[in-house]
Amino acid sequence: MKALIIGAGIGGMSAAAALKQQGIECDIFEAVKEIKPVGAALSIWSNGVKCMNHLGMGHIMDSLGGPMHNLAYHDGLTGAVMTQFSLSPLVEAVGERPCPVSRANLQSQMIDWWGREKVQFGKRIEKLEQSETCVTAYFTDGSSATGDFMVAADGTHSSVRAHVIGYQTERRYADYVNWNGLVNIDENIAPGNQWTTFVGEGKRVSVMPIADGRFYFFFDVPLPKGLNEDRTTLVDDLKGYFKGWAKPVQVLIDSIDPEVTNRIEIHDIEPFDTLVKGNIALLGDSAHSTTPDIGQGGCSALEDAVVLGQCFAETKDIQTALKDYEEKRRFRVKDLVLKARKRCDVTHGKNMQETQAWYDELRVEKGDNIIAGLRTTIVGGPLA
Ligand code: FAD
C-alpha cells in the first residue's frame, strides 16, 4: 500500500512517520526547494510531545525543548508581576513536559529523521485525479505520482482542500499582527527557565526559552490588515507600539535583529466537518487552520498523524480507515480552533472590558486556573 504525502511540514512528516509504523510506504512531495518556516519557534505542548514520542521522534523534543519550568504574567506598562507559578503540577498531571522548540530545527530534524534524500522537494501539486482505487497528483514541474491514497498536509493555503470539502475557504483575519523571532536569553528581559508574558492595552509581549540559550519572543498588536510596515521600519514600529512599556520590553526590542524577525498578520479558517473524501485526507493546517493563541496548531497536526496511524492499525481498508480518522478528529480540531479564537479575542482586546477583566483575574491567579485550562486542552488529545 502506498500513500502520497503532500507537504513536508510538521503535518506531512508526522503523517509519514505514523503510516510507516503501520507498514505503509510513503512518498513525500514538498512544493519548495528549501523549507523556510514562517515562524521562529513553536511551543509543543505535552500532547504534542507525547505524539512525537509515540511516532519515534521523542529524541528531537529532548534535544530541542527549552527549559520552560515556570510561567508568569507581568503588567506590560509597570513591569509588576501579576502571577508567577511553577508548571510542575501540570507536568505531573499530564505525564509529559511542554517543549518550546526552534521551528526550523524541528522541521529540519524531522526531515533528517525520515531521510532528506527520500523527500521530493520542488514538487508543487496543482491538480489531482481520484478514482475508487487510486489518487494521482500532478505537479507544476510536469511530473506526476500515483498512490493508493493521499494525505494532503499542504498547509493553510492548501491546494487540495477545496477538492475534499467542496468549496473554497476564506482565511479570516484575527485582527492582530504578530512579530516573532529568537534572541539570546537575557535575565534583564526575563528568567531563562520561564514563559514570561507582558500584557496591557490588548497587546502582549512574550518570551519562552528554547534549547541553546535562546528565547523565542513574540509581540502581538491589534492592528488593521495590510499596513505599510516591513523590516526597515520594524524596530521603530515596535518602539512606537510599546512606548511607555516596562524596561524588559524595551531591552527585548533593542536586542532583536529585524532581518530575522517575522511579521505575520494572523488568520484562521472557519472550521469545517469534512476532512476526508474517499481516499484523500486533509491533515494539519489544511484540515484546521487556527490562530496561535493556545499554541495548538502544530500539536494538533501531530495528533492527526497519531490518530491516522491508529486508524490504519485497526483496518487496512483505506476508505474505512480514513473515515474513521475523520470521525475521530473533526470535533477535537474544531474545538481547538474555536478555543484559540476565543482566547485570541480576550487577549487582544476585542472587547476591552473582557480583556480588563482577564487582567484583573491574572492579578489574583495562583496558577490553578491556568494549569486547569492547559490540562483540559492537553488531555483532550489522543494519547491522554
Ligand atoms: P505547514 O507547516 O504550513 O506545512 C505545509 C507544507 O506543505 C509546507 O512545507 C509547504 O511548502 C507545503 N506545500 C504547500 N502547498 C503545497 C503544494 N501545493 N504542493 C506541495 N507542497 C505544498 N503551533 C503549535 O503547536 N504551537 C505553537 O506555539 C504555534 N505557534 C505559532 C505561531 C505562529 C505565529 C503561527 C503562524 C503558527 C503557530 N503554530 C503553532 C501553528 C503551526 O505553525 C502550524 O499549525 C503547523 O506548522 C502546521 O503544520 P502543517 O505541516 O500542517 O503545515
Side-chain angles (χ1 to χ4, degrees):
M1 196 191 293
K2 187 179 21 172
L4 306 180
I5 310 279
I6 308 297
I10 298 168
M13 296 317 300
S14 55
L19 294 175
K20 186 179 173 199
Q21 286 180 334
Q22 300 309 319
I24 298 170
E25 192 188 329
C26 296
D27 285 351
I28 307 177
F29 302 93
E30 166 54 50
V32 299
K33 294 218 163 84
E34 195 191 338
I35 294 211
K36 290 191 184 128
V38 287
L42 292 167
S43 52
I44 301 295
W45 286 94
S46 315
N47 53 321
V49 177
K50 284 184 188 186
C51 292
M52 286 291 282
N53 295 340
H54 177 90
L55 296 170
M57 294 185 280
H59 60 283
I60 299 179
M61 293 287 106
D62 291 342
S63 71
L64 297 181
M68 188 170 78
H69 302 310
N70 299 320
L71 190 159
Y73 279 91
H74 291 241
D75 181 315
L77 288 134
T78 65
V81 177
M82 299 164 99
T83 183
Q84 199 265 352
F85 53 88
S86 165
L87 284 170
S88 300
L90 175 71
V91 177
E92 279 160 29
V94 301
E96 186 52 83
R97 73 176 179 119
C99 288
V101 297
S102 149
R103 186 193 281 259
N105 289 350
L106 174 65
Q107 287 195 219
S108 179
Q109 291 201 19
M110 287 176 89
I111 290 172
D112 286 342
W113 177 84
W114 179 262
R116 193 166 288 271
E117 66 295 342
K118 290 189 279 171
V119 175
Q120 302 190 46
F121 291 94
K123 297 281 179 189
R124 181 177 295 277
I125 189 173
E126 59 173 351
K127 65 181 183 145
L128 62 86
E129 269 169 24
Q130 179 178 22
S131 74
E132 272 294 300
T133 52
C134 67
V135 185
T136 300
Y138 295 92
F139 303 103
T140 49
D141 66 356
S143 62
S144 65
T146 298
D148 299 294
F149 68 104
M150 174 186 284
V151 177
D154 55 342
T156 188
H157 301 283
S158 173
S159 309
V160 179
R161 185 193 294 125
H163 173 82
V164 171
I165 70 173
Y167 61 92
Q168 287 289 352
T169 47
E170 293 275 321
R171 295 176 82 228
R172 188 198 67 107
Y173 181 47
D175 293 322
Y176 78 96
V177 173
N178 167 285
W179 291 258
N180 66 71
L182 302 174
V183 291
N184 289 332
I185 285 181
D186 177 350
E187 299 274 330
N188 293 312
I189 299 170
N193 63 352
Q194 178 169 286
W195 176 18
T196 307
T197 303
F198 298 85
V199 291
E201 304 170 337
K203 304 171 193 168
R204 89 176 150 159
V205 180
S206 213
V207 288
M208 273 183 183
I210 62 165
D212 302 337
R214 289 178 297 170
F215 271 140
Y216 164 42
F217 70 80
F218 58 88
F219 297 82
D220 291 350
V221 180
L223 286 172
K225 206 173 142 102
L227 290 182
N228 189 19
E229 295 180 342
D230 61 20
R231 290 192 194 293
T232 60
T233 62
L234 197 144
V235 170
D236 285 344
D237 293 338
L238 290 176
K239 285 200 166 167
Y241 295 134
F242 293 97
K243 192 161 185 242
W245 278 49
K247 183 89 190 296
V249 175
Q250 309 305 331
V251 175
L252 175 60
I253 296 173
D254 285 333
S255 19
I256 68 176
D257 176 355
E259 290 309 315
V260 287
T261 300
N262 307 293
R263 181 189 186 280
I264 303 172
E265 293 177 337
I266 297 297
H267 290 77
D268 66 10
I269 292 175
E270 193 61 34
F272 41 86
D273 284 326
T274 308
L275 308 181
V276 167
K277 182 177 181 180
N279 45 14
I280 303 179
L282 302 176
L283 184 144
D285 277 13
S286 71
H288 40 82
S289 203
T290 175
T291 67
D293 289 81
I294 57 171
Q296 283 290 336
C299 296
S300 48
L302 293 165
E303 289 187 1
D304 290 347
V306 165
V307 172
L308 185 69
Q310 288 171 338
C311 294
F312 274 100
E314 278 169 30
T315 174
K316 290 291 180 294
D317 179 83
I318 291 168
Q319 304 221 4
T320 307
L322 294 186
K323 264 290 159 209
D324 191 24
Y325 157 79
E326 176 182 67
E327 197 48 40
K328 289 193 165 123
R329 290 305 289 159
R330 64 197 174 107
F331 296 111
R332 166 75 170 163
V333 296
K334 182 187 277 190
D335 180 52
L336 290 174
V337 172
L338 296 179
K339 207 181 231 180
R341 193 181 279 184
K342 204 165 163 192
R343 188 70 257 142
C344 164
D345 289 348
V346 174
T347 303
H348 301 105
K350 190 139 198 156
N351 169 342
M352 214 41 217
Q353 266 179 337
E354 276 179 35
T355 304
Q356 190 55 53
W358 175 53
Y359 295 160
D360 294 342
E361 275 168 31
L362 288 176
R363 289 196 176 86
V364 293
E365 171 70 44
K366 298 276 180 275
D368 302 356
N369 294 315
I370 292 177
I371 285 181
L374 292 167
R375 181 182 173 172
T376 306
T377 299
I378 290 167
V379 301
L383 302 173

